[in-house]
Amino acid sequence: MASLSTTWLYQDRGLKCLFSVNGSLAGQSCFQYFQTSFVGSFSAQSVKVRVGVSSNGKTNLFPCVKCVKKDGSFDPLSVERPPYYSYMDSTSGQMEPASGARASIPGQEYWPEGTANRVRAARAPEPTAKSKGSPSYGKNPGSRRKKYKTGIVAAGSSDGICTVESSEGDGTVGSAELTIDTSDPAALETSGNVTEEPKDLSTDYVVYGTEPEEENFSDYELKKKLGEPHPFIDPNAKKPTEEPLSSEELWWNWRKPEKELWSRWQRRRPDVETVFVKAMAETGQVKLYGDHPTLTETNLYRARRHLYKEERLQAEQERLERIGPMAYYSEWVKAWKRDTSREAVQKHFEETGEEENMQLIKMFQHQTDREYRIMMGTDVRIRRDPLAMRMRGDQIKEIWGGDPVYPTVNYIQDPNEVIDYRGPDFHEPTPNMLAYLLEHGKITPREEIEKVLAKQKIEEHELTDVDEAMAQAVDIGENDDEVEDSDVEGVDEVDEKITRNWSVLKSNPELRKSKEKPKKEDPLTLKEAVEDSENLTDFLMDFEEDE
Amino acid sequence: MASLPLQQHSHPFFNYKGSSHGCSPRPSYPFLCNNRNKVGPIRASTDIPLLRLLQPRQVEESPSELEPADPDFYRIGYVRSVRAYGVEFMEGPNGFGVYASKDVEPLRRARVIMEIPLELMLTISQKLPWMFFPDIIPLGHPIFDIINSTNPETDWDLRLACLLLFAFDREGNFWQLYGDFLPSADECTSLLLATEEDLLELQDQDLASTMRAQKQRAIEFWEKNWHSAAPLKIKRLARDPERFVWAMSIAQSRCINLQMRIGALVQDANMLIPYADMLNHSFQPNCFFHWRFKDRMLEVMINAGQRIKKGEEMTIDYLKGKKNNMFMQRYGFSSSVNPWDVIQFSGNAQVHLDSFLSVFNISGLPEEYFHNTGQLSDDGDSFVDGAVIAAARTLPTWSDGDMPPVPSKERKAARQLQEECQQLLAEFPTNFQQDQQILDSMPDVRKTLEAAIKYRLNRKLFLEKIIQALDIYQTRLLF
């Protein structure tokens, strides 16, 4: 016992000099520290150990380790420091490890809400008894009840449904229950008077690692253990990294992603034109193929709007050149009653020497403010774009977020944005569309269609031949027949055109209907128009004529 | 009588010393609140729970009648995070029940005895849109169309029955295992499963016609949706109408209406909750349900301040303030001591309310009358039970400020009321002794027939009790 106490004292001293950095630690706290770490390695909860240095003569808490020389010489470095840092915890009033799971768990009243429930649920023991029945999986409800009338004997497992003795109410699932059940927490709390009967703690617990393992390290592990230079990864366990595919390989092995928004161009963007086209479709000015205008329809609308505007401007310009500026601008000068024809202007010039510009200035001197505003297009009382004025609030908001000054929706509006026409298949080799269409019967070669048409004409002739006799017999107006025939032709043409994927033709069929007569004298089909692309504009303007 | 687990009343039925009433050697009745689990006798004749802590409770049933349930009953739930603390599931001749396995001291806070996670329940929202937690119905499954075709206002039981049948069919669903512990069709007391003669035995035309209509509704629903052209995955849920009617009776008798909160969603739902539906009914329950939002569990908790003895049954109140016919309609049991039972008196005789209450030492407002035991009546007056409470509610009474009652007029009114009760009793084809004899003579009777006979028996017992109460009222009125 004496040797033990000297050991403690020596340890104390040694530790003290080791811990000289934290000078506030008294010898007692160092001692506590040591014991705490020892006991704490058994139970997850640190236990208060208050053993004064003065009273430890009686202490036989731990088995005596007689490995110290009798003469008291002691190598302080031989005492291994615990592998963690520690601090004085003001909550528990003890030295606590500063990190890791060894930190003590506070009492239940400090637990976060619901933790007591979980702890209690986790501590509920599983029922141990065996059941004799087997489940019927919903086929036979009630099959595992003990039907009393059938006289099934009790299973004999009186503790069959052993439920947990839950601790006393919610409030007091105390920290004491957290300790291991076999050890009375009071026994662990070794205050001075409890230490009378020493308790060998090592009998209560399984002590691991009493025998040193035999060491058979591989070369790498040995090096690693000894700290010699070694590769970062075990060369035996190391696997060669797979060679990454070359970019060529990647190109040819590229797989189209399934249903993925691979480009932000696939996003529908409610730009001004889209909303306008939608509004026009609602008011019946155009027809859309689907619910929303497609990109093509939108761009067609944009192109047409641009062309209309150009064309109007051009017509105005032509008129200006044709009738002369005086006659042209006198529209906005009501007070100018004089003749404004070219001849009159010329005559006036010859009479007075005032050239045309001077005459214009004179005329504009008679212009009122109102006429000027109307001429310049700045009269707010004249509605400029009736469609835009008629658009509903939600449609307007779709464009600007309802506020043209601080737009909140579609804030970035680039009118000159170039459409990304690439589809998700743009990695695929370009298909031969003509062959594809021919193969699938989507397109008819010219010879065949001519053959078909010729055949139809022959049939018509035959029919008319046949009808002649009837016509002679009964007087039927020929006009009726002709009208019908032309209708039939029109339908045929419509059908033929539907095969082409041109959304305008799909969207406004009245275009096709009204297109019949001019088509006959001017058979400029879409395909031809596309082929000589300078005619595309003319082609588009054809529609607008029809409207 | 022999086969029935008799509850030995520690008090005689009628022990008033000055009584001259004739029927003293009375068989003691098992006041079975024979509820959905059909567990044996529930303490039905107990007093109102005020000052229950001071009263030593009598142990109602001999433990030999009960035996622990199949170990798998708890195990299948245990591995799915169901926990039961300090209670055990016992099975008696009348079905399951939950009993305390240790004494519980009265606590200031309610304490948990069971936890059941949401994942094991079957729930449907009470209103459109139909929401299921856990969502076991796949998108586009035809059972959803069937559920959706029901009337949102009234047909909650049809919906729940569909969901239950679907859960039985679903691979790996907990109810495939739990269904083995539900009462089978021949054990169920629900009147949906009753035959026509059972309904006639009720001696209550209104209830019988209601149950006929309910059964008709179930069968029509089955015929409409389980026709021959129905897809197999529907058809195999309920091959025959009996199975559907059984599921509907389970849904009716085990449905728990609860408001639950899931995330931000607060929802009133019809729920089938395993283990919690094994709790039996009592008019003075010692447990209640609580939805624990944080981990979506249903907690069964003991009332705060309730002392529980080992072996005592844990009970909840199924329907608050409902009459016996409502209990009979949904759960297939009735009680002679239902404090909410009502008798329609047609005469104009009235007794003085305050005198009546003070004679029987009843306190509280009409909504919450309770027997004021221990304070004034120290002689252990065990006459007052739920039936007397009900009498205080249902008897025509008058009360006019401080105007004292005239004893002679009060006696006369009480006698008139007694006569009216006698007339009501006489309208029944049998009296209660005959009913009791019928019950005793048929030990292996069908459950539904037994429940039907008990229903009319309880009605008669209630009337008898009122007559006796009026007797006591007349004699004690002087004081």
Side-chain angles (χ1 to χ4, degrees):
Chain A
M1 200 54 72
S3 67
L4 178 68
S5 63
T6 51
T7 307
W8 289 130
L9 286 174
Y10 274 119
Q11 278 187 345
D12 193 3
R13 199 174 302 141
L15 285 170
K16 204 188 264 177
C17 66
L18 280 178
F19 286 110
S20 57
V21 251
N22 8 348
S24 67
L25 286 182
Q28 167 141 8
S29 63
C30 276
F31 182 60
Q32 269 188 8
Y33 176 41
F34 184 77
Q35 268 194 340
T36 305
S37 68
F38 181 59
V39 178
S41 65
F42 283 125
S43 66
Q45 187 198 21
S46 83
V47 179
K48 274 192 181 177
V49 181
R50 300 189 195 280
V51 182
V53 182
S54 58
S55 68
N56 66 359
K58 301 176 273 182
T59 305
N60 201 7
L61 187 59
F62 309 113
C64 282
V65 185
K66 297 196 166 73
C67 53
V68 181
K69 292 171 194 157
K70 288 289 178 193
D71 57 350
S73 63
F74 173 71
D75 182 11
L77 291 180
S78 66
V79 178
E80 194 186 358
R81 292 187 58 192
Y84 46 83
Y85 292 97
S86 57
Y87 70 107
M88 190 63 184
D89 189 357
S90 61
T91 308
S92 61
Q94 311 174 33
M95 293 299 297
E96 300 278 1
S99 62
R102 292 162 182 254
S104 72
I105 298 171
Q108 200 211 7
E109 57 269 26
Y110 296 107
W111 291 357
E113 183 190 356
T115 310
N117 288 329
R118 303 195 59 163
V119 167
R120 193 182 47 199
R123 293 178 66 235
E126 190 170 1
T128 50
K130 290 277 175 250
S131 169
K132 285 179 181 163
S134 58
S136 72
Y137 297 108
K139 297 287 177 297
N140 191 10
S143 60
R144 296 180 82 181
R145 283 169 88 97
K146 291 171 180 157
K147 295 184 177 105
Y148 205 74
K149 285 174 184 169
T150 56
I152 291 180
V153 197
S157 57
S158 60
D159 57 342
I161 309 298
C162 60
T163 49
V164 190
E165 296 284 315
S166 104
S167 53
E168 326 306 327
D170 275 345
T172 55
V173 182
S175 57
E177 297 195 350
L178 268 182
T179 56
I180 301 163
D181 287 334
T182 55
S183 67
D184 190 3
L188 273 179
E189 185 156 346
T190 55
S191 56
N193 46 7
V194 189
T195 52
E196 308 305 337
E197 52 268 39
K199 194 173 182 187
D200 193 1
L201 281 179
S202 60
T203 58
D204 275 353
Y205 300 101
V206 180
V207 179
Y208 293 101
T210 50
E211 300 169 6
E213 294 178 22
E214 77 278 15
E215 298 180 356
N216 43 357
F217 288 126
S218 69
D219 186 25
Y220 169 76
E221 283 169 347
L222 195 63
K223 272 184 181 172
K224 194 175 179 181
K225 186 164 186 282
L226 296 180
E228 289 178 7
H230 61 279
F232 189 63
I233 302 171
D234 189 358
N236 297 325
K238 185 181 177 185
K239 278 185 283 187
T241 52
E242 291 177 12
E243 197 69 23
L245 293 174
S246 67
S247 81
E248 183 72 9
E249 291 280 321
L250 284 176
W251 172 264
W252 290 110
N253 289 323
W254 184 82
R255 268 190 219 162
K256 185 169 62 174
E258 291 299 324
K259 284 271 187 184
E260 189 192 346
L261 193 69
W262 58 270
S263 159
R264 51 192 291 273
W265 281 102
Q266 289 175 304
R267 188 173 56 111
R268 269 190 44 79
R269 341 185 64 211
D271 53 342
V272 183
E273 276 84 15
T274 318
V275 181
F276 259 78
V277 171
K278 221 169 146 185
M280 286 169 74
E282 281 181 17
T283 54
Q285 304 179 45
V286 293
K287 286 219 169 139
L288 296 183
Y289 187 66
D291 289 340
H292 299 279
T294 60
L295 286 180
T296 319
E297 282 167 337
T298 309
N299 285 282
L300 190 66
Y301 155 75
R302 183 191 290 162
R304 283 160 67 180
R305 191 186 54 175
H306 181 69
L307 289 175
Y308 291 156
K309 185 179 164 195
E310 290 292 317
E311 177 207 337
R312 278 198 306 272
L313 289 179
Q314 200 182 354
E316 294 286 301
Q317 190 64 34
E318 280 170 2
R319 184 166 152 250
L320 173 64
E321 284 163 4
R322 197 175 64 241
I323 62 176
M326 282 295 286
Y328 181 74
Y329 287 111
S330 66
E331 179 185 347
W332 291 286
V333 190
K334 285 284 185 291
W336 193 254
K337 300 298 185 193
R338 281 193 242 165
D339 189 7
T340 53
S341 63
R342 280 191 186 276
E343 297 79 33
V345 169
Q346 186 62 31
K347 195 178 157 202
H348 189 78
F349 172 63
E350 286 165 1
E351 285 172 359
T352 62
E354 287 178 343
E355 58 164 338
E356 199 173 25
N357 284 346
M358 292 303 293
Q359 291 184 39
L360 270 178
I361 290 171
K362 264 192 160 180
M363 183 180 75
F364 280 139
Q365 283 171 351
H366 295 268
Q367 195 179 29
T368 62
D369 274 356
R370 180 173 181 172
E371 284 165 346
Y372 175 74
R373 278 198 297 268
I374 292 173
M375 183 180 78
M376 299 304 284
T378 50
D379 192 345
V380 292
R381 288 166 296 187
I382 296 178
R383 299 206 302 185
R384 311 296 307 175
D385 192 341
L387 177 66
M389 306 297 285
R390 254 186 279 129
M391 280 199 333
R392 293 194 315 266
D394 57 329
Q395 288 169 328
I396 292 170
K397 272 180 192 160
E398 221 173 314
I399 304 174
W400 296 117
D403 190 353
V405 181
Y406 298 106
T408 55
V409 173
N410 300 322
Y411 184 66
I412 302 168
Q413 294 272 341
D414 185 5
N416 299 320
E417 220 167 33
V418 181
I419 298 182
D420 188 356
Y421 284 108
R422 301 173 303 170
D425 295 333
F426 80 100
H427 275 283
E428 309 293 328
T430 311
N432 189 350
M433 280 311 289
L434 196 58
Y436 174 81
L437 292 173
L438 278 174
E439 190 177 305
H440 287 261
K442 297 271 191 324
I443 203 169
T444 326
R446 184 178 292 277
E447 304 88 51
E448 284 189 22
I449 193 69
E450 277 170 357
K451 247 186 260 171
V452 170
L453 287 177
K455 205 172 156 190
Q456 280 180 351
K457 270 178 191 166
I458 289 166
E459 281 177 2
E460 283 167 21
H461 286 308
E462 285 172 2
L463 278 177
T464 47
D465 288 343
V466 170
D467 278 353
E468 271 178 1
M470 298 286 288
Q472 284 168 358
V474 185
D475 189 14
I476 300 173
E478 278 188 357
N479 290 337
D480 297 346
D481 275 352
E482 281 175 8
V483 166
E484 280 178 14
D485 283 347
S486 68
D487 276 355
V488 166
E489 277 179 15
V491 167
D492 281 346
E493 285 192 11
V494 165
D495 287 342
E496 182 203 2
K497 257 183 294 182
I498 279 178
T499 60
R500 306 176 192 263
N501 188 13
W502 191 249
S503 55
V504 178
L505 297 181
K506 277 182 183 166
S507 56
N508 15 12
E510 78 278 0
L511 278 187
R512 288 178 308 202
K513 291 270 169 58
S514 56
K515 196 66 181 153
E516 305 309 332
K517 281 131 209 168
K519 262 255 163 92
K520 269 169 191 164
E521 51 254 28
D522 182 17
L524 180 65
T525 63
L526 172 67
K527 197 175 167 192
E528 290 162 353
V530 170
E531 274 167 358
D532 48 349
S533 57
E534 49 126 34
N535 269 338
L536 182 58
T537 317
D538 295 343
F539 178 74
L540 290 175
M541 286 175 66
D542 280 354
F543 291 123
E544 155 245 315
E545 280 173 15
D546 296 334
E547 284 184 20
Chain B
M1 198 53 131
S3 75
L4 289 170
L6 278 192
Q7 157 183 10
Q8 277 303 326
H9 284 259
S10 61
H11 53 83
F13 190 68
F14 180 68
N15 65 348
Y16 183 61
K17 50 182 188 294
S19 163
S20 59
H21 202 272
C23 46
S24 46
R26 172 162 300 177
S28 66
Y29 293 102
F31 289 136
L32 298 186
C33 289
N34 221 358
N35 34 14
R36 51 189 175 199
N37 307 314
K38 299 187 305 307
V39 159
I42 296 186
R43 115 206 81 53
S45 63
T46 48
D47 302 330
I48 297 298
L50 183 82
L51 299 172
R52 167 167 289 177
L53 309 182
L54 303 175
Q55 281 181 325
R57 299 184 63 88
Q58 63 245 21
V59 177
E60 284 93 0
E61 57 276 312
S62 54
S64 63
E65 297 284 351
L66 297 169
E67 55 186 82
D70 193 308
D72 268 1
F73 177 70
Y74 182 53
R75 189 202 307 276
I76 57 175
Y78 176 85
V79 298
R80 293 168 176 83
S81 302
V82 170
R83 291 291 181 273
Y85 305 106
V87 295
E88 50 196 355
F89 299 96
M90 307 287 269
E91 219 176 327
N94 284 328
F96 271 82
V98 183
Y99 295 88
S101 62
K102 61 168 192 173
D103 296 347
V104 176
E105 295 300 306
L107 281 168
R108 284 203 313 144
R109 297 174 59 192
R111 47 166 288 165
V112 183
I113 56 168
M114 270 195 250
E115 301 172 335
I116 299 116
L118 171 68
E119 285 73 21
L120 303 189
M121 308 177 186
L122 297 176
T123 72
I124 309 187
S125 53
Q126 288 182 5
K127 290 176 294 217
L128 280 167
W130 309 130
M131 281 190 269
F132 310 94
F133 291 105
D135 198 352
I136 58 171
I137 295 193
L139 272 184
H141 197 280
I143 194 74
F144 181 78
D145 300 330
I146 294 178
I147 288 176
N148 203 18
S149 72
T150 56
N151 181 359
E153 304 296 329
T154 55
D155 286 346
W156 58 270
D157 43 356
L158 296 179
R159 290 192 286 275
L160 211 51
C162 287
L163 189 64
L164 179 69
L165 288 173
F166 180 71
F168 280 151
D169 186 51
R170 210 165 146 68
E171 185 79 16
N173 194 292
F174 175 68
W175 284 78
Q176 283 196 334
L177 303 174
Y178 189 75
D180 293 339
F181 301 100
L182 294 177
S184 56
D186 53 343
E187 281 179 295
C188 232
T189 54
S190 172
L191 287 186
L192 282 175
L193 303 162
T195 58
E196 187 57 32
E197 52 265 29
D198 293 349
L199 292 181
L200 289 178
E201 291 292 330
L202 282 174
Q203 298 178 357
D204 185 344
Q205 288 309 312
D206 295 341
L207 183 57
S209 60
T210 308
M211 292 322 295
R212 271 184 218 114
Q214 292 252 4
K215 198 169 179 181
Q216 187 63 25
R217 186 172 67 115
I219 289 180
E220 274 171 6
F221 185 77
W222 183 84
E223 281 167 353
K224 189 179 121 204
N225 294 299
W226 273 265
H227 48 80
S228 56
L232 178 64
K233 54 183 168 183
I234 290 300
K235 221 187 286 180
R236 68 170 182 235
L237 296 187
R239 295 267 181 200
D240 42 1
E242 285 76 28
R243 185 164 162 99
F244 185 78
V245 171
W246 172 80
M248 190 166 148
S249 72
I250 290 291
Q252 278 198 349
S253 59
R254 301 190 165 238
C255 171
I256 294 170
N257 294 332
L258 205 65
Q259 188 177 61
M260 57 179 183
R261 180 169 156 223
I262 295 168
L265 178 74
V266 177
Q267 191 183 59
D268 289 311
N270 299 121
M271 326 170 78
L272 287 177
I273 305 178
Y275 301 100
D277 59 5
M278 294 302 180
L279 290 159
N280 284 321
H281 169 83
S282 163
F283 294 105
Q284 297 116 35
N286 50 17
C287 293
F288 64 97
F289 292 141
H290 171 75
W291 178 257
R292 195 204 292 162
F293 157 68
K294 199 165 71 63
D295 44 3
R296 300 174 185 182
M297 283 206 181
L298 180 92
E299 292 176 333
V300 182
M301 303 179 105
I302 298 180
N303 287 340
Q306 183 111 34
R307 183 189 299 275
I308 306 262
K309 285 274 172 27
K310 179 176 180 180
E312 205 168 294
E313 177 158 24
M314 316 308 289
T315 52
I316 55 164
D317 197 353
Y318 287 177
L319 291 172
K320 288 194 172 54
K322 287 293 194 313
K323 297 195 317 184
N324 262 348
N325 58 1
M326 200 60 208
F327 279 99
M328 202 63 197
Q329 181 185 332
R330 262 191 73 173
Y331 302 104
F333 69 87
S334 56
S335 165
S336 65
V337 292
N338 185 349
W340 294 99
D341 225 347
V342 169
I343 288 174
Q344 297 296 335
F345 288 99
S346 53
N348 49 10
Q350 286 177 328
V351 293
H352 187 235
L353 175 63
D354 299 333
S355 306
F356 189 84
L357 294 183
S358 64
V359 157
F360 293 107
N361 207 358
I362 294 172
S363 315
L365 292 171
E367 287 308 305
E368 44 211 18
Y369 279 146
F370 59 91
H371 184 211
N372 207 346
T373 51
Q375 301 271 314
L376 298 171
S377 63
D378 48 358
D379 55 346
D381 181 9
S382 48
F383 174 75
V384 179
D385 58 6
V388 180
I389 304 284
R393 287 204 182 96
T394 193
L395 282 175
T397 53
W398 64 274
S399 179
D400 186 12
D402 289 339
M403 181 110 97
V406 181
S408 59
K409 286 173 77 174
E410 285 301 306
R411 288 214 183 86
K412 195 176 159 215
R415 245 175 268 126
Q416 281 181 6
L417 290 173
Q418 278 178 329
E419 281 168 16
E420 206 164 333
C421 289
Q422 296 285 8
Q423 284 171 6
L424 287 174
L425 274 178
E427 285 171 11
F428 287 106
T430 56
N431 61 17
F432 69 96
Q433 283 101 345
Q434 290 167 344
D435 289 340
Q436 190 64 50
Q437 281 168 6
I438 293 172
L439 272 184
D440 295 344
S441 63
M442 299 187 296
D444 286 333
V445 75
R446 273 195 315 277
K447 292 281 186 183
T448 48
L449 180 58
E450 189 182 341
I453 295 176
K454 275 180 186 161
Y455 172 71
R456 70 189 201 214
L457 172 64
N458 285 327
R459 184 74 178 168
K460 289 159 196 165
L461 285 177
F462 177 51
L463 284 166
E464 292 277 350
K465 186 84 178 183
I466 287 185
I467 294 172
Q468 290 166 21
L470 287 171
D471 265 343
I472 296 180
Y473 177 64
Q474 290 178 46
T475 50
R476 284 195 191 174
L477 187 58
L478 288 178
F479 313 110

